[in-house]
Amino acid sequence: MAKTRPGVPSKIKPGRKELDSYTIKGTNKVVRAGDCVLMRPSDAGKPPYVARVEKIEADARNNVKVHCRWYYRPEESLGGRRQFHGAKELFLSDHFDVQSAHTIEGKCIVHTFKNYTRLENVGAEDYYCRFEYKAATGAFTPDRVAVYCKCEMPYNPDDLMVQCEGCKDWYHPACVGMTIEEAKKLDHFVCAECSSDDDVKKSLNGFAASPADDVKVETKRRKR
């Protein structure tokens, strides 16, 4: 199965009927409009395509088609994959298509970015989306998101980050001179801008504790 060129949503053609659901071949999984699905790619070596089902229809011979809206992976976009893109990140595109229902391999869940970061464990069927993407121009909505750390990068939920107890900003260990293992051992962290030479000094385990606060350092990283 191959993606067609970007298009607009199509209407049900004469002689076809709209269906409420479709059961994935060889399974008991039921797909309905609004569900997200994994679809067989044209190249067997590539990961499955991800799409949101808009509607399902059947012709007089009971051949079932799904009207879908594609999600793009970062590497499929004009700008390509960047450092802050997570492994499970997708972009909801304006690329609509019609495909045979037989190309559906399974179901998945595309979470909002906020809900994804709250997951205790990320399963194979879990993805997230924080951008909409225009396939023809490469434009994103929103065109700006919050940035963190000295490197001023958007948050990648796959990366470990530590939070400063002073300014509450988040930092990548490498950006503040630590290894990931050192960061995991920290009980406290105060960034250079919030500290003075007297109360925070770099040690073998990263940064010494602030004397006024014994709260453990928070870290950001998804379990996979």
Side-chain angles (χ1 to χ4, degrees), residues 170-202:
W170 293 88
Y171 293 86
H172 301 107
C175 292
V176 289
M178 285 188 287
T179 66
I180 290 176
E181 290 306 313
E182 288 172 338
K184 288 179 178 179
K185 295 176 183 178
L186 285 175
D187 286 328
H188 304 270
F189 170 69
V190 179
C191 72
E193 290 186 6
C194 293
S195 66
S196 69
D197 290 339
D198 293 329
D199 56 26
V200 178
K201 293 183 179 179
K202 191 173 180 181

mmCIF file of all heavy atoms in Angstrom, residues 170-202:
data_model
loop_
_atom_site.group_PDB
_atom_site.id
_atom_site.type_symbol
_atom_site.label_atom_id
_atom_site.label_comp_id
_atom_site.label_asym_id
_atom_site.label_seq_id
_atom_site.Cartn_x
_atom_site.Cartn_y
_atom_site.Cartn_z
ATOM 1 N N TRP A 170 14.045 23.242 33.053
ATOM 2 C CA TRP A 170 14.537 21.881 32.877
ATOM 3 C C TRP A 170 15.791 21.892 32.025
ATOM 4 O O TRP A 170 15.903 22.664 31.070
ATOM 5 C CB TRP A 170 13.470 21.009 32.214
ATOM 6 C CG TRP A 170 12.271 20.777 33.076
ATOM 7 C CD1 TRP A 170 11.152 21.550 33.172
ATOM 8 C CD2 TRP A 170 12.074 19.686 33.971
ATOM 9 N NE1 TRP A 170 10.263 21.010 34.065
ATOM 10 C CE2 TRP A 170 10.796 19.861 34.579
ATOM 11 C CE3 TRP A 170 12.818 18.572 34.323
ATOM 12 C CZ2 TRP A 170 10.281 18.963 35.507
ATOM 13 C CZ3 TRP A 170 12.311 17.671 35.250
ATOM 14 C CH2 TRP A 170 11.055 17.871 35.827
ATOM 15 N N TYR A 171 16.740 20.995 32.352
ATOM 16 C CA TYR A 171 18.027 20.961 31.670
ATOM 17 C C TYR A 171 18.410 19.538 31.260
ATOM 18 O O TYR A 171 18.144 18.583 31.994
ATOM 19 C CB TYR A 171 19.131 21.513 32.583
ATOM 20 C CG TYR A 171 18.992 22.992 32.876
ATOM 21 C CD1 TYR A 171 18.181 23.429 33.923
ATOM 22 C CD2 TYR A 171 19.643 23.948 32.101
ATOM 23 C CE1 TYR A 171 18.027 24.788 34.194
ATOM 24 C CE2 TYR A 171 19.497 25.305 32.368
ATOM 25 C CZ TYR A 171 18.692 25.718 33.408
ATOM 26 O OH TYR A 171 18.540 27.056 33.661
ATOM 27 N N HIS A 172 19.046 19.434 30.096
ATOM 28 C CA HIS A 172 19.645 18.169 29.700
ATOM 29 C C HIS A 172 20.950 18.013 30.484
ATOM 30 O O HIS A 172 21.727 18.970 30.584
ATOM 31 C CB HIS A 172 19.966 18.155 28.201
ATOM 32 C CG HIS A 172 18.768 18.364 27.337
ATOM 33 N ND1 HIS A 172 18.543 19.550 26.663
ATOM 34 C CD2 HIS A 172 17.739 17.540 27.044
ATOM 35 C CE1 HIS A 172 17.422 19.443 25.972
ATOM 36 N NE2 HIS A 172 16.901 18.253 26.193
ATOM 37 N N PRO A 173 21.217 16.845 31.035
ATOM 38 C CA PRO A 173 22.470 16.669 31.790
ATOM 39 C C PRO A 173 23.706 17.109 31.006
ATOM 40 O O PRO A 173 24.583 17.784 31.549
ATOM 41 C CB PRO A 173 22.474 15.158 32.075
ATOM 42 C CG PRO A 173 21.035 14.795 32.157
ATOM 43 C CD PRO A 173 20.368 15.633 31.101
ATOM 44 N N ALA A 174 23.803 16.747 29.724
ATOM 45 C CA ALA A 174 24.992 17.098 28.938
ATOM 46 C C ALA A 174 25.178 18.605 28.821
ATOM 47 O O ALA A 174 26.310 19.092 28.723
ATOM 48 C CB ALA A 174 24.891 16.482 27.545
ATOM 49 N N CYS A 175 24.078 19.350 28.872
ATOM 50 C CA CYS A 175 24.158 20.810 28.730
ATOM 51 C C CYS A 175 24.653 21.496 29.993
ATOM 52 O O CYS A 175 24.992 22.689 29.962
ATOM 53 C CB CYS A 175 22.792 21.374 28.326
ATOM 54 S SG CYS A 175 22.267 20.900 26.652
ATOM 55 N N VAL A 176 24.652 20.771 31.121
ATOM 56 C CA VAL A 176 25.165 21.335 32.374
ATOM 57 C C VAL A 176 26.347 20.523 32.889
ATOM 58 O O VAL A 176 26.647 20.508 34.076
ATOM 59 C CB VAL A 176 24.050 21.420 33.449
ATOM 60 C CG1 VAL A 176 23.051 22.502 33.095
ATOM 61 C CG2 VAL A 176 23.342 20.085 33.646
ATOM 62 N N GLY A 177 27.016 19.818 31.970
ATOM 63 C CA GLY A 177 28.260 19.143 32.312
ATOM 64 C C GLY A 177 28.131 17.862 33.096
ATOM 65 O O GLY A 177 29.046 17.507 33.849
ATOM 66 N N MET A 178 27.002 17.157 32.937
ATOM 67 C CA MET A 178 26.805 15.894 33.647
ATOM 68 C C MET A 178 26.536 14.764 32.674
ATOM 69 O O MET A 178 26.040 14.988 31.567
ATOM 70 C CB MET A 178 25.604 15.986 34.597
ATOM 71 C CG MET A 178 25.829 16.776 35.858
ATOM 72 S SD MET A 178 24.402 16.596 36.965
ATOM 73 C CE MET A 178 23.194 17.606 36.114
ATOM 74 N N THR A 179 26.841 13.558 33.119
ATOM 75 C CA THR A 179 26.405 12.380 32.385
ATOM 76 C C THR A 179 25.003 12.018 32.865
ATOM 77 O O THR A 179 24.538 12.487 33.908
ATOM 78 C CB THR A 179 27.333 11.183 32.622
ATOM 79 O OG1 THR A 179 27.226 10.782 33.996
ATOM 80 C CG2 THR A 179 28.784 11.543 32.302
ATOM 81 N N ILE A 180 24.337 11.163 32.112
ATOM 82 C CA ILE A 180 23.002 10.711 32.518
ATOM 83 C C ILE A 180 23.075 9.958 33.835
ATOM 84 O O ILE A 180 22.216 10.116 34.714
ATOM 85 C CB ILE A 180 22.373 9.835 31.410
ATOM 86 C CG1 ILE A 180 22.018 10.704 30.194
ATOM 87 C CG2 ILE A 180 21.122 9.109 31.916
ATOM 88 C CD1 ILE A 180 21.480 9.943 29.011
ATOM 89 N N GLU A 181 24.102 9.137 33.997
ATOM 90 C CA GLU A 181 24.243 8.377 35.249
ATOM 91 C C GLU A 181 24.442 9.305 36.435
ATOM 92 O O GLU A 181 23.914 9.066 37.523
ATOM 93 C CB GLU A 181 25.408 7.386 35.133
ATOM 94 C CG GLU A 181 25.139 6.235 34.180
ATOM 95 C CD GLU A 181 23.847 5.501 34.516
ATOM 96 O OE1 GLU A 181 23.631 5.185 35.701
ATOM 97 O OE2 GLU A 181 23.053 5.254 33.594
ATOM 98 N N GLU A 182 25.216 10.366 36.275
ATOM 99 C CA GLU A 182 25.400 11.346 37.346
ATOM 100 C C GLU A 182 24.085 12.032 37.674
ATOM 101 O O GLU A 182 23.759 12.248 38.845
ATOM 102 C CB GLU A 182 26.454 12.381 36.949
ATOM 103 C CG GLU A 182 27.877 11.843 36.950
ATOM 104 C CD GLU A 182 28.887 12.830 36.373
ATOM 105 O OE1 GLU A 182 28.468 13.729 35.610
ATOM 106 O OE2 GLU A 182 30.079 12.685 36.683
ATOM 107 N N ALA A 183 23.316 12.370 36.651
ATOM 108 C CA ALA A 183 22.039 13.041 36.872
ATOM 109 C C ALA A 183 21.067 12.163 37.639
ATOM 110 O O ALA A 183 20.303 12.645 38.476
ATOM 111 C CB ALA A 183 21.435 13.449 35.527
ATOM 112 N N LYS A 184 21.089 10.868 37.377
ATOM 113 C CA LYS A 184 20.186 9.946 38.059
ATOM 114 C C LYS A 184 20.493 9.843 39.558
ATOM 115 O O LYS A 184 19.614 9.498 40.347
ATOM 116 C CB LYS A 184 20.263 8.556 37.430
ATOM 117 C CG LYS A 184 19.620 8.461 36.052
ATOM 118 C CD LYS A 184 19.771 7.054 35.491
ATOM 119 C CE LYS A 184 19.096 6.925 34.134
ATOM 120 N NZ LYS A 184 19.271 5.560 33.567
ATOM 121 N N LYS A 185 21.735 10.142 39.948
ATOM 122 C CA LYS A 185 22.138 10.046 41.348
ATOM 123 C C LYS A 185 21.865 11.318 42.148
ATOM 124 O O LYS A 185 22.003 11.332 43.368
ATOM 125 C CB LYS A 185 23.635 9.723 41.438
ATOM 126 C CG LYS A 185 24.006 8.362 40.868
ATOM 127 C CD LYS A 185 25.512 8.158 40.917
ATOM 128 C CE LYS A 185 25.910 6.827 40.294
ATOM 129 N NZ LYS A 185 27.387 6.646 40.309
ATOM 130 N N LEU A 186 21.458 12.384 41.450
ATOM 131 C CA LEU A 186 21.252 13.663 42.124
ATOM 132 C C LEU A 186 20.054 13.627 43.075
ATOM 133 O O LEU A 186 19.014 13.069 42.758
ATOM 134 C CB LEU A 186 21.007 14.772 41.095
ATOM 135 C CG LEU A 186 22.204 15.285 40.294
ATOM 136 C CD1 LEU A 186 21.730 16.285 39.260
ATOM 137 C CD2 LEU A 186 23.233 15.911 41.206
ATOM 138 N N ASP A 187 20.221 14.262 44.225
ATOM 139 C CA ASP A 187 19.094 14.519 45.122
ATOM 140 C C ASP A 187 18.590 15.941 44.919
ATOM 141 O O ASP A 187 17.435 16.241 45.226
ATOM 142 C CB ASP A 187 19.507 14.329 46.583
ATOM 143 C CG ASP A 187 19.666 12.869 46.934
ATOM 144 O OD1 ASP A 187 18.939 12.033 46.359
ATOM 145 O OD2 ASP A 187 20.528 12.556 47.771
ATOM 146 N N HIS A 188 19.458 16.839 44.443
ATOM 147 C CA HIS A 188 19.107 18.247 44.250
ATOM 148 C C HIS A 188 19.863 18.777 43.037
ATOM 149 O O HIS A 188 20.928 18.280 42.695
ATOM 150 C CB HIS A 188 19.491 19.096 45.472
ATOM 151 C CG HIS A 188 18.897 18.605 46.753
ATOM 152 N ND1 HIS A 188 17.680 19.028 47.228
ATOM 153 C CD2 HIS A 188 19.369 17.721 47.666
ATOM 154 C CE1 HIS A 188 17.424 18.423 48.376
ATOM 155 N NE2 HIS A 188 18.426 17.627 48.662
ATOM 156 N N PHE A 189 19.289 19.806 42.434
ATOM 157 C CA PHE A 189 19.981 20.460 41.333
ATOM 158 C C PHE A 189 19.601 21.928 41.299
ATOM 159 O O PHE A 189 18.413 22.283 41.361
ATOM 160 C CB PHE A 189 19.627 19.816 39.992
ATOM 161 C CG PHE A 189 20.125 20.591 38.811
ATOM 162 C CD1 PHE A 189 21.474 20.672 38.527
ATOM 163 C CD2 PHE A 189 19.242 21.274 37.987
ATOM 164 C CE1 PHE A 189 21.943 21.411 37.445
ATOM 165 C CE2 PHE A 189 19.693 22.014 36.905
ATOM 166 C CZ PHE A 189 21.044 22.077 36.625
ATOM 167 N N VAL A 190 20.629 22.787 41.200
ATOM 168 C CA VAL A 190 20.428 24.221 41.006
ATOM 169 C C VAL A 190 21.319 24.638 39.846
ATOM 170 O O VAL A 190 22.498 24.312 39.813
ATOM 171 C CB VAL A 190 20.793 25.032 42.272
ATOM 172 C CG1 VAL A 190 20.596 26.524 42.013
ATOM 173 C CG2 VAL A 190 19.976 24.581 43.463
ATOM 174 N N CYS A 191 20.747 25.320 38.872
ATOM 175 C CA CYS A 191 21.520 25.708 37.691
ATOM 176 C C CYS A 191 22.512 26.810 38.035
ATOM 177 O O CYS A 191 22.411 27.455 39.091
ATOM 178 C CB CYS A 191 20.589 26.147 36.568
ATOM 179 S SG CYS A 191 19.799 27.752 36.837
ATOM 180 N N ALA A 192 23.442 27.043 37.145
ATOM 181 C CA ALA A 192 24.498 28.031 37.380
ATOM 182 C C ALA A 192 23.931 29.438 37.582
ATOM 183 O O ALA A 192 24.449 30.217 38.386
ATOM 184 C CB ALA A 192 25.481 28.021 36.216
ATOM 185 N N GLU A 193 22.866 29.782 36.862
ATOM 186 C CA GLU A 193 22.300 31.123 36.970
ATOM 187 C C GLU A 193 21.623 31.358 38.315
ATOM 188 O O GLU A 193 21.519 32.498 38.770
ATOM 189 C CB GLU A 193 21.303 31.369 35.844
ATOM 190 C CG GLU A 193 21.956 31.492 34.472
ATOM 191 C CD GLU A 193 20.972 31.886 33.394
ATOM 192 O OE1 GLU A 193 19.800 32.174 33.736
ATOM 193 O OE2 GLU A 193 21.362 31.910 32.217
ATOM 194 N N CYS A 194 21.136 30.284 38.936
ATOM 195 C CA CYS A 194 20.432 30.433 40.215
ATOM 196 C C CYS A 194 21.351 30.236 41.410
ATOM 197 O O CYS A 194 20.925 30.389 42.553
ATOM 198 C CB CYS A 194 19.283 29.427 40.304
ATOM 199 S SG CYS A 194 17.945 29.714 39.126
ATOM 200 N N SER A 195 22.583 29.856 41.180
ATOM 201 C CA SER A 195 23.494 29.541 42.286
ATOM 202 C C SER A 195 24.628 30.556 42.374
ATOM 203 O O SER A 195 24.898 31.316 41.455
ATOM 204 C CB SER A 195 24.071 28.145 42.097
ATOM 205 O OG SER A 195 24.888 28.115 40.946
ATOM 206 N N SER A 196 25.308 30.531 43.525
ATOM 207 C CA SER A 196 26.532 31.312 43.702
ATOM 208 C C SER A 196 27.660 30.316 43.938
ATOM 209 O O SER A 196 27.429 29.144 44.190
ATOM 210 C CB SER A 196 26.408 32.255 44.897
ATOM 211 O OG SER A 196 26.384 31.510 46.103
ATOM 212 N N ASP A 197 28.866 30.787 43.885
ATOM 213 C CA ASP A 197 30.008 29.897 44.087
ATOM 214 C C ASP A 197 29.998 29.276 45.475
ATOM 215 O O ASP A 197 30.594 28.240 45.713
ATOM 216 C CB ASP A 197 31.323 30.666 43.888
ATOM 217 C CG ASP A 197 31.533 31.036 42.421
ATOM 218 O OD1 ASP A 197 30.905 30.373 41.566
ATOM 219 O OD2 ASP A 197 32.304 31.967 42.168
ATOM 220 N N ASP A 198 29.331 29.932 46.440
ATOM 221 C CA ASP A 198 29.358 29.459 47.817
ATOM 222 C C ASP A 198 28.358 28.344 48.098
ATOM 223 O O ASP A 198 28.614 27.466 48.912
ATOM 224 C CB ASP A 198 29.079 30.620 48.780
ATOM 225 C CG ASP A 198 30.204 31.634 48.768
ATOM 226 O OD1 ASP A 198 31.355 31.212 48.540
ATOM 227 O OD2 ASP A 198 29.912 32.829 48.976
ATOM 228 N N ASP A 199 27.163 28.389 47.459
ATOM 229 C CA ASP A 199 26.134 27.435 47.861
ATOM 230 C C ASP A 199 25.947 26.260 46.908
ATOM 231 O O ASP A 199 25.295 25.287 47.249
ATOM 232 C CB ASP A 199 24.777 28.135 48.080
ATOM 233 C CG ASP A 199 24.291 28.910 46.882
ATOM 234 O OD1 ASP A 199 24.657 28.581 45.752
ATOM 235 O OD2 ASP A 199 23.522 29.867 47.112
ATOM 236 N N VAL A 200 26.477 26.325 45.690
ATOM 237 C CA VAL A 200 26.382 25.184 44.794
ATOM 238 C C VAL A 200 27.705 25.013 44.069
ATOM 239 O O VAL A 200 28.153 25.923 43.407
ATOM 240 C CB VAL A 200 25.265 25.361 43.745
ATOM 241 C CG1 VAL A 200 25.219 24.165 42.802
ATOM 242 C CG2 VAL A 200 23.923 25.522 44.411
ATOM 243 N N LYS A 201 28.314 23.876 44.234
ATOM 244 C CA LYS A 201 29.564 23.578 43.545
ATOM 245 C C LYS A 201 29.465 22.217 42.884
ATOM 246 O O LYS A 201 28.820 21.309 43.411
ATOM 247 C CB LYS A 201 30.741 23.589 44.525
ATOM 248 C CG LYS A 201 31.035 24.975 45.097
ATOM 249 C CD LYS A 201 32.236 24.951 46.003
ATOM 250 C CE LYS A 201 32.530 26.338 46.558
ATOM 251 N NZ LYS A 201 33.694 26.338 47.459
ATOM 252 N N LYS A 202 30.081 22.076 41.772
ATOM 253 C CA LYS A 202 30.043 20.808 41.061
ATOM 254 C C LYS A 202 30.835 19.757 41.825
ATOM 255 O O LYS A 202 31.922 20.017 42.320
ATOM 256 C CB LYS A 202 30.614 20.987 39.649
ATOM 257 C CG LYS A 202 30.372 19.803 38.746
ATOM 258 C CD LYS A 202 30.808 20.124 37.324
ATOM 259 C CE LYS A 202 30.549 18.918 36.436
ATOM 260 N NZ LYS A 202 30.983 19.166 35.056
#
